[in-house]
Amino acid sequence: MVDISTTIGSLRIKNPTMLASGIMDEDAGSMHRMIRSGAGAIVTKSIGLHAREGYPNPTVLELEYGLLNAMGLPNPGIDAYEDELQLLKKSRVPIIGSIYGATPDEFARLADTMQHCGAAAVELNVSCPHAKHYGMEVGCDTQLLYKIVTAVTEQVTIPVFVKISPNVTNIVEIASAAEQGNADAIVAINTVKAMKIDLETRQPILANKTGGYSGRAIKPIGVRCIYDLAQHIKLPLIGVGGITTGQDAVEYFMAGASAVQLGSAVYYRGPDVFRAVCTELKDWMSAHGYTNVSQLVGAALP
Ligand code: RRO
């Protein structure tokens, strides 16, 4: 019998597929739909202290091998989002509150509200590749990141995950700063900074010019990041980036991830992708003689 439940620190999830932040998570209705589709956990949209409109259109492009987005952190602000979280309080799967900010105090306040609203964990988004003041400025500065993670871990009792970027010279240094701040897990990776130019207008198509690339094309980048992190960081790792099939999840587990997040795959395979990936994962495991996800975690490491 194959058991695909997994643990990320103290958080136990019935299957290792989570909805990644930013897809189908703007309100309780869409998140309920993802729960019904078999996601093991749900990560909310990244929420800040105040409402943000996001960038003007175009904000998302489908390219040959993935999606390019520059949404610009659109969100209603934590006070308005509380209503959605209240509707999910009785959810049978853990809800992980994604938050963004610029200072330790902002992150601590947001995490506190997420905890009060019943979030099972918080995910600190310090890695949006194109958010001025809230993205890479925070996620590239190890001292600031350490202070932010420390402020949040001192404020809340729920697990604190930190989502980091592949767009850095040394991803291990960034994750170490989060580890020193007492984070409970590292989520890797956010999207890869990228651009698409229209040949006729000779201009970048996204209104913001640059955006974040996701989907199948970035899977090898995510796998490499998890593999590097697994050799230097003791914290549990959550893999994200291009996971579309059960075999993709196996690859991330072998690199060192204990769970995976799916985002673009919901666009490519539809909302029932979670159930499909879990079935593919179970089939692969039983065909290869594995009974438990933990047997796969880090199998590729030296
Ligand atoms: O909202 C966005 O444009 C966005 C965010 Br917050 C993020 O973390 N990653 C991304 O690709 N887009």
Side-chain angles (χ1 to χ4, degrees), residues 3-24:
D3 176 12
I4 58 164
S5 67
T6 188
T7 54
I8 303 115
S10 58
L11 190 69
R12 181 155 199 93
I13 50 177
K14 65 175 183 180
N15 80 63
T17 66
M18 305 177 172
L19 176 70
S21 180
I23 307 262
M24 297 294 285

Side-chain angles (χ1 to χ4, degrees), residues 10-257:
S10 58
L11 190 69
R12 181 155 199 93
I13 50 177
K14 65 175 183 180
N15 80 63
T17 66
M18 305 177 172
L19 176 70
S21 180
I23 307 262
M24 297 294 285
D25 51 8
E26 47 290 316
D27 57 38
S30 59
M31 289 187 273
H32 268 305
R33 174 74 182 89
M34 297 298 104
I35 294 168
R36 285 200 304 278
S37 306
I42 300 288
V43 186
T44 70
K45 192 162 198 53
S46 290
I47 304 294
L49 283 178
H50 307 293
R52 261 178 75 104
E53 284 238 329
Y55 297 141
N57 283 323
T59 51
V60 189
L61 305 173
E62 183 177 352
L63 305 185
E64 293 91 338
Y65 307 110
L67 301 175
L68 181 64
N69 90 84
M71 306 298 296
L73 289 145
N75 79 98
I78 191 74
D79 292 343
Y81 202 70
E82 271 192 63
D83 298 342
E84 307 301 326
L85 293 166
Q86 293 300 340
L87 294 170
L88 291 166
K89 258 199 159 157
K90 294 203 177 93
S91 154
R92 57 180 187 270
V93 309
I95 306 295
I96 299 164
S98 171
I99 55 178
Y100 72 87
T103 65
D105 180 60
E106 274 180 46
F107 272 98
R109 284 164 60 192
L110 288 161
D112 196 50
T113 309
M114 283 290 183
Q115 175 168 281
H116 273 102
C117 291
V122 280
E123 181 178 284
L124 314 189
N125 183 355
V126 294
S127 46
C128 178
H130 46 260
K132 290 157 201 84
H133 315 301
Y134 298 115
M136 299 302 296
E137 288 90 336
V138 181
C140 277
D141 180 337
T142 49
Q143 285 184 16
L144 177 58
L145 182 60
Y146 167 77
K147 286 184 191 151
I148 286 171
V149 179
T150 304
V152 174
T153 52
E154 285 176 356
Q155 182 71 38
V156 297
T157 53
I158 53 177
V160 177
F161 303 166
V162 181
K163 184 170 183 180
I164 62 176
S165 171
N167 310 305
V168 293
T169 7
N170 189 342
I171 196 169
V172 172
E173 252 177 32
I174 308 294
S176 298
E179 186 169 46
Q180 279 157 29
N182 270 329
D184 295 280
I186 300 292
V187 183
I189 56 176
N190 206 318
T191 51
V192 177
K193 191 169 186 176
M195 178 183 276
K196 169 75 181 168
I197 291 173
D198 182 311
L199 302 189
E200 302 307 320
T201 63
R202 288 169 287 164
Q203 292 300 308
I205 299 180
L206 288 174
N208 187 58
K209 297 191 172 59
T210 64
Y213 198 30
S214 62
R216 278 201 156 109
I218 73 164
K219 193 187 71 173
I221 302 172
V223 169
R224 183 269 299 171
C225 289
I226 292 288
Y227 185 86
D228 283 352
L229 291 167
Q231 290 173 76
H232 297 96
I233 302 293
K234 292 192 183 69
L235 299 176
L237 304 172
I238 301 169
V240 49
I243 296 145
T244 315
T245 66
Q247 280 88 339
D248 294 336
V250 171
E251 195 176 342
Y252 268 91
F253 297 144
M254 288 185 172

